[in-house]
Amino acid sequence: MPKILNYGSLNIDYVYAVDHFVMPGETLAAKSRNIFAGGKGLNQSVALARAGGEVYHAGAVGAEDSKVLLQEISSNGIHDDFLAKRDMPSGHTIIQVDKNGQNCILLYGGANQSLTVEEINNTLSHFSAGDYLILQNEVNNIEHIIREGAKRGLKVCFNVSPFTLQLLDLPLDLCAFLIVNEIEGSAMVNMSADSDPYAIMQALSDKYPQTSFVLTLGSRGSILKEAGQEMISCRSYKVQAVDTTAAGDTFLGFLIASLARGLEGSRALNTATAASALAVQRAGACPSIPQLNEVEDFLAHSNVTVLTDKL
């Protein structure tokens, strides 16, 4: 089985439960506060590991405030050989979660933005062609990581979030997988976000013909198009959402780990969708991510067919 290297962010998440998102000029009393290990990178590493992957997390944390992050890495069996400790704060977020389970996030990059070219080159030298390289837009030197990883034959999987138009200047054609939502995907091909998702997916595939895509559509489901193959559609499982914070990261982790384990695209997509459905029913980021056996049990007892010809 190929190794999975996640060059990603690690954030301390301060999560506040609120009736509604705070408005400009408003002072709002929170119902509760919880502190979790998070960050898109760490969330995805945890999901990748819980989905059965052999995961290495590379990045940087603060030397003084990172205990909760390092505990999460260790408790999930994630290799930390390439995780640097800095004399600066770790990345952190302030997250509001409303009564409907929706969230909004304020992000501070901290140590996540301190990666050096020398560290990146050294880390990538320990991996081989066919291994997976996972990226999100929460660390610095993304372009160098993409180019160097692709040059070494790694399967670069880039979750283009948080999205900015500057990402279009990156060598995205070198990525084996691009994971986008409908807002990100439509912006990449200069289309409206309310366009037909199949038209968005086709435009993305036409623009980057050697790249596989996953287009996520929130509660409607997702579409997978592996390079040179037909699109596969999957509806979401209907569940009551408590907190959607790590739903997308859970989806990505289970999808990529399933593909790395050799599952065909439709099974990998179904597995990722089920994992995400379990995650949104729990509070927090990393704490909400299910184990593989939970997902397999969910699938075994589900009477719902979510794979479909068209959403």
Side-chain angles (χ1 to χ4, degrees):
M1 180 175 173
K3 294 186 291 186
I4 303 174
L5 170 65
N6 187 356
Y7 232 121
S9 58
L10 303 98
N11 293 326
I12 303 168
D13 290 339
Y14 299 93
V15 182
Y16 297 84
V18 295
D19 280 325
H20 60 269
F21 298 150
V22 66
M23 302 292 289
E26 179 184 19
T27 298
L28 180 66
K31 295 180 176 180
S32 65
R33 186 191 81 158
N34 289 288
I35 301 175
F36 300 108
K40 293 190 72 64
L42 179 56
N43 296 342
Q44 291 175 13
S45 280
V46 171
L48 288 158
R50 293 184 184 176
E54 181 184 356
V55 184
Y56 294 75
H57 193 103
V61 295
E64 295 186 0
D65 63 0
S66 57
K67 182 178 179 181
V68 66
L69 301 172
L70 299 176
Q71 285 178 336
E72 196 69 45
I73 290 282
S74 175
S75 65
N76 283 282
I78 299 165
H79 301 283
D80 64 357
D81 310 53
F82 311 109
L83 187 58
K85 297 180 178 65
R86 304 281 200 244
D87 185 21
M88 63 189 303
S90 297
H92 65 260
T93 63
I94 295 174
I95 302 175
Q96 298 177 63
V97 180
D98 72 10
K99 59 186 177 183
N100 298 313
Q102 296 300 308
N103 66 74
C104 65
I105 302 173
L106 180 65
L107 169 67
Y108 173 71
N112 294 314
Q113 297 295 317
S114 68
L115 307 182
T116 69
V117 168
E118 292 75 19
E119 288 172 331
I120 293 165
N121 292 344
N122 176 65
T123 296
L124 293 177
S125 71
H126 292 82
F127 296 84
S128 306
D131 288 339
Y132 284 77
L133 171 59
I134 314 299
L135 293 169
Q136 321 81 33
N137 190 31
E138 291 188 348
V139 299
N140 63 315
N141 274 322
I142 290 288
E143 179 172 356
H144 181 78
I145 300 173
I146 291 175
R147 290 191 184 279
E148 194 65 22
K151 184 171 74 174
R152 295 173 183 272
L154 277 63
K155 296 179 181 178
V156 181
C157 305
F158 187 21
N159 178 200
V160 296
S161 179
F163 182 78
T164 66
L165 290 176
Q166 286 71 35
L167 289 181
L168 298 180
D169 295 329
L170 295 175
L172 300 180
D173 57 307
L174 298 180
C175 296
F177 256 97
L178 289 173
I179 300 92
V180 302
N181 63 31
E182 56 195 317
I183 296 174
E184 297 157 352
S186 60
M188 290 173 65
V189 290
N190 197 28
M191 296 176 67
S192 169
D194 60 3
S195 300
D196 181 352
Y198 293 94
I200 295 173
M201 180 67 96
Q202 189 60 56
L204 288 166
S205 184
D206 290 343
K207 186 173 182 178
Y208 303 103
Q210 303 304 314
T211 299
S212 298
F213 281 89
V214 181
L215 180 65
T216 60
L217 303 165
S219 61
R220 285 181 290 163
S222 59
I223 306 169
L224 168 67
K225 188 179 190 311
E226 296 182 81
Q229 299 188 31
E230 297 297 317
M231 298 184 200
I232 302 171
S233 304
C234 189
R235 293 190 296 267
S236 295
Y237 288 95
K238 301 304 179 185
V239 297
Q240 182 62 50
V242 172
D243 182 356
T244 62
T245 302
D249 299 327
T250 300
F251 177 92
L252 183 148
F254 272 80
L255 177 72
I256 299 301
S258 296
L259 293 171
R261 290 191 293 116
L263 269 64
E264 63 181 15
S266 58
R267 285 191 60 198
L269 190 61
N270 194 6
T271 300
T273 302
S276 183
L278 291 174
V280 300
Q281 298 179 72
R282 305 168 180 174
C286 291
S288 73
I289 301 170
Q291 300 285 346
L292 179 59
N293 65 316
E294 295 179 276
V295 177
E296 291 176 336
D297 185 65
F298 177 88
L299 289 169
H301 291 89
S302 174
N303 296 319
V304 178
T305 300
V306 291
L307 290 169
T308 182
D309 291 335
K310 193 165 186 177
L311 297 174

